[in-house]
Amino acid sequence: MEQREQYKRLIMFCSSVLIIALETLIFAYIWFHYYSAEEIIGKQFWRRGNMVVIGQYTLMLYFFYRIYGGFKVGYLRVFEVLYSQVLSVFCVNMITYLQLSLIGRWRFSTNILPLCYMTGLDLVIVVIWVIFMRWIYARIYPPRKMLLIYGEHNPKDLVRKISTREDKYEICEMMHLSYGEERIKHKIDEYPAVILGDIPAHERNVFLKYCFETNTRCYSIPKISDILLRNADSIHLFDTTLMLSRNRGLTADQRFMKRAMDVVFSLLGLLIALPFMLLIALLIKAYDGGPVFYEQERLTRDGQIFKILKFRSMKVESEHHGARLAQKGDDRITPIGRVLRNIHFDELPQILNILKGEMSLVGPRPERPEIAKQYLEEIPEFNYRLKVKAGLTGYAQVYGKYNTTPYDKLKLDLTYIETYSFWQDIKLLMLTFKILFQKENTEGVESWQVTAATKENEDKK
């Protein structure tokens, strides 16, 4: 398997080229046979003009597939890859239709059938490609057998997460640090891969170096200090390398660019969302006659408190017993609220918070002061996420879930802060559109999950 590993990138590259080439050929056929005629676009393109139109289509396909993970066969689940490809095809073909309409000055704005046929054929190719490539991938790369090394922290949550990807990983054996360094090293030699749980830094370094020496694949859970060093600058003023972590959040020019993007995108978003917001307001009011909006104190940059605005998704007086996160099947959520939560439309009024400068489009989700205070008792670093403004969406929302543990969300938020860039914000906004209809990103907290709020309730019992 290790010998075949070096050919994985080549196989995936060739398969990616194949699907883009097929879809580009289909578009080229549609373009030359239905849309490039002089009577349609007003003036017939020269050969280079045709190549530019076709080339733009190819680049858009590549861009959306890369952003949404359409090439990640084996890395993502089959449904996720299929969903990513379908979403990419729809986005590219919709943009292409608008582009061609502008080129032809809307002469063929009603002649959309060829593009519809093209989209249907693209989807057939996508389904066949994803299923076939997943079959190829499974044949070449069976689940990787792994040894899990753990310490005082119970690994059951990690095992549970990894077991959801039995197609990719198989934990065959677990060893506690008490077995001793030498015995664990001998066991490492028996496996092609090792996963290091949340173990002390000294032991982790020992096994990490041993895996490097023996060319053993090693997975490890990053500590907060690892994330803080992730984007550090290397200083080479003398013969000892220094790693510089500036630890200041965003620079002045980054804050300016971020604020400019917030204002422009929020105004555009408000114009698009306004009809939906009016309809949602009417439905909420008609359901039980209660208030349409729900205000709540939240934390943003430097611990400042502001009033976040949301569409009310729960029954009136739903928190008279105290603040707690929504759970699966929570009976406090109204039928309308359940739909709004599933597609995140309950968050739309926060566009106003962004325009006021209290929030940003992208950043750590704002936490309630009372719940943040409880988290701090268990996670002293929890306030590190307040280096930047709270966001409508964020790294933890895209790569985590609603019920991701607070500690894991903190690490995701710190990853965002330490690797911030303007283009990363653009990417996260596009990925947010992708997860809008993925149910696992809106699931409530499981009854067995312990959060600061649930822990407080347990302590009272």
Side-chain angles (χ1 to χ4, degrees), residues 406-444:
Y407 187 65
D408 285 335
K409 280 188 177 180
L410 169 62
K411 290 196 284 189
L412 290 170
D413 288 332
L414 289 177
T415 299
Y416 168 75
I417 295 170
E418 292 302 307
T419 61
Y420 169 80
S421 71
F422 177 83
W423 295 112
Q424 179 173 256
D425 272 7
I426 299 295
K427 179 180 178 180
L428 291 173
L429 286 172
M430 294 183 68
L431 287 173
T432 299
F433 178 72
K434 175 187 173 182
I435 67 170
L436 280 179
F437 305 103
Q438 289 182 297
K439 186 178 179 181
E440 63 179 12
N441 292 89
T442 61
E443 289 175 344

Side-chain angles (χ1 to χ4, degrees), residues 188-419:
I188 289 175
D189 294 336
E190 300 176 12
Y191 287 93
V194 172
I195 180 165
L196 304 178
D198 194 357
I199 61 178
H202 175 266
E203 286 78 2
R204 186 185 67 167
N205 289 343
V206 168
F207 297 125
L208 189 61
K209 291 175 182 177
Y210 184 75
C211 289
F212 184 82
E213 292 172 11
T214 57
N215 298 321
T216 303
R217 183 178 289 247
C218 183
Y219 301 82
S220 60
I221 299 173
K223 298 182 182 297
I224 288 178
S225 56
D226 298 325
I227 295 172
L228 296 181
L229 284 171
R230 187 171 182 176
N231 207 39
D233 295 325
S234 295
I235 305 297
H236 300 288
L237 297 178
F238 27 78
D239 58 358
T240 297
T241 301
L242 295 179
M243 302 293 289
L244 172 61
S245 297
R246 302 186 187 276
N247 302 324
R248 63 188 178 191
L250 305 186
T251 61
D253 58 313
Q254 287 175 331
R255 288 200 299 269
F256 175 80
M257 289 295 295
K258 193 171 178 63
R259 180 58 185 157
M261 185 180 77
D262 288 343
V263 172
V264 173
F265 281 41
S266 296
L267 288 173
L268 290 174
L270 189 61
L271 288 175
I272 296 171
L274 196 56
F276 300 100
M277 293 174 70
L278 291 174
L279 177 61
I280 291 169
L282 289 173
L283 291 173
I284 293 173
K285 196 69 178 177
Y287 176 73
D288 59 9
V292 170
F293 298 108
Y294 175 66
E295 286 188 331
Q296 195 177 69
E297 287 189 347
R298 296 289 179 102
L299 294 171
T300 188
R301 189 176 66 195
D302 299 327
Q304 297 178 19
I305 297 176
F306 73 102
K307 294 274 191 180
I308 198 172
L309 197 61
K310 301 176 70 173
F311 281 123
R312 181 173 59 86
S313 60
M314 290 190 175
K315 299 173 183 175
V316 180
E317 305 294 335
S318 61
E319 292 193 339
H320 62 276
H321 291 305
R324 62 185 175 94
L325 297 177
Q327 296 185 350
K328 281 188 177 181
D330 201 319
D331 59 3
R332 298 175 300 162
I333 302 174
T334 65
I336 295 169
R338 198 169 301 281
V339 174
L340 294 179
R341 281 171 170 263
N342 283 340
I343 58 176
H344 299 274
F345 274 21
D346 59 321
E347 314 283 358
L348 286 178
Q350 289 165 40
I351 295 175
L352 301 176
N353 291 117
I354 296 170
L355 287 172
K356 289 168 64 179
E358 298 166 332
M359 290 176 61
S360 181
L361 279 169
V362 183
R365 282 297 293 162
E367 193 54 82
R368 300 175 68 168
E370 58 270 29
I371 292 182
K373 183 178 179 181
Q374 295 165 21
Y375 286 152
L376 280 169
E377 295 176 5
E378 300 291 332
I379 313 171
E381 305 91 348
F382 193 73
N383 274 347
Y384 289 3
R385 60 203 296 277
L386 300 180
K387 289 271 187 179
V388 296
K389 281 184 184 178
L392 178 63
T393 185
Y395 206 89
Q397 282 61 53
V398 169
Y399 295 107
K401 303 177 184 178
Y402 181 86
N403 55 11
T404 298
T405 64
Y407 187 65
D408 285 335
K409 280 188 177 180
L410 169 62
K411 290 196 284 189
L412 290 170
D413 288 332
L414 289 177
T415 299
Y416 168 75
I417 295 170
E418 292 302 307
T419 61

